[in-house]
Amino acid sequence: LYQDGARYWYATQPTVTKMADDRAEQLKRAPDKVATELDKRVRKDLERRGDFARVHALPQTSGDVGDDAEARLVVLDTEHPWSKEPGNAAEVRAKEFLEQRGSAPRIYRNTLLFLAADRTRVQDLDEAVRKLLAWQSILDEKDTLNLTPHQVRQAETQRDAANGMITARLPETWQWLLVPTQKSPSDPVAFTASRITGTDALAVRASK
């Protein structure tokens, strides 16, 4: 069923909304595409690094995080989110990065802070990215799909809405600043999780 203002009609061609929903669902089986788009968006945001000497964006291994005597922020990927459970994936990952740089022990452990995604928010962000990719793919194929001008405008509006949704959900997702603490040299390292808020870029909010 199609609608354009006060006019309604049936057609055998699926609506662009149905097409976008189907494509977004199919992207669940193509996580690499979603991860690539999300990686690009996060790195763009982290170009504004606040007061940190450097920001390590979504490092894959502890060897990707340098061992320097300057304050730095490590932004963990969505595969290692924070949750309230002790020993959650973000803390385990942060501890690994804190103690090692590759195969060598890390020397400047007190220079690192970690920004982690909230586990309950990751799914919402993933959904927004899949919607953006779905609508953009429809626009890329508008001639092949023989879209009407109305359908093109609809797809452009929905793509822009999905884009805005990603922008809004990035800070909602990466909201946990993990601060390693140690009362004495003999105590194990513990992490204090603080929720960061505000409208600034991720690293700027973390540095504040």
Side-chain angles (χ1 to χ4, degrees), residues 108-164:
Y108 297 106
R109 297 181 183 183
N110 61 338
T111 63
L112 295 182
L113 294 175
F114 300 87
L115 186 60
D118 186 284
R119 189 176 68 183
T120 61
R121 298 284 187 170
V122 168
Q123 186 174 349
D124 293 338
L125 181 59
D126 179 83
E127 178 186 5
V129 173
R130 286 188 288 106
K131 283 185 176 180
L132 172 70
L133 294 175
W135 284 110
Q136 185 58 57
S137 70
I138 289 173
L139 287 169
D140 291 342
E141 300 172 24
K142 61 183 179 182
D143 294 333
T144 305
L145 296 171
N146 196 28
L147 299 186
T148 65
H150 168 71
Q151 290 173 318
V152 172
R153 290 195 301 272
Q154 182 183 0
E156 289 173 342
T157 298
Q158 293 298 328
R159 177 202 58 192
D160 294 344
N163 186 59

Side-chain angles (χ1 to χ4, degrees), residues 13-98:
Q13 183 186 24
T15 64
V16 284
T17 300
K18 177 66 166 61
M19 197 183 307
D21 289 343
D22 290 344
R23 293 189 178 198
E25 186 67 22
Q26 291 167 7
L27 282 167
K28 288 183 177 179
R29 299 189 291 274
D32 287 349
K33 290 183 179 180
V34 178
T36 298
E37 178 65 25
L38 185 56
D39 184 276
K40 181 177 71 176
R41 298 294 291 259
V42 173
R43 290 179 186 279
K44 180 67 176 176
D45 183 274
L46 293 175
E47 288 178 359
R48 291 164 288 177
R49 64 175 188 259
D51 295 325
F52 292 106
R54 186 175 176 186
V55 175
H56 300 278
L58 315 177
Q60 296 300 303
T61 70
S62 62
D64 297 330
V65 179
D67 194 8
D68 305 308
E70 296 175 307
R72 286 161 296 129
L73 179 69
V74 180
V75 181
L76 303 176
D77 58 32
T78 55
E79 296 297 316
H80 301 87
W82 185 89
S83 64
K84 291 183 178 179
E85 289 82 1
N88 59 76
E91 287 189 0
V92 171
R93 187 70 157 175
K95 186 176 181 181
E96 173 193 340
F97 281 21
L98 191 70

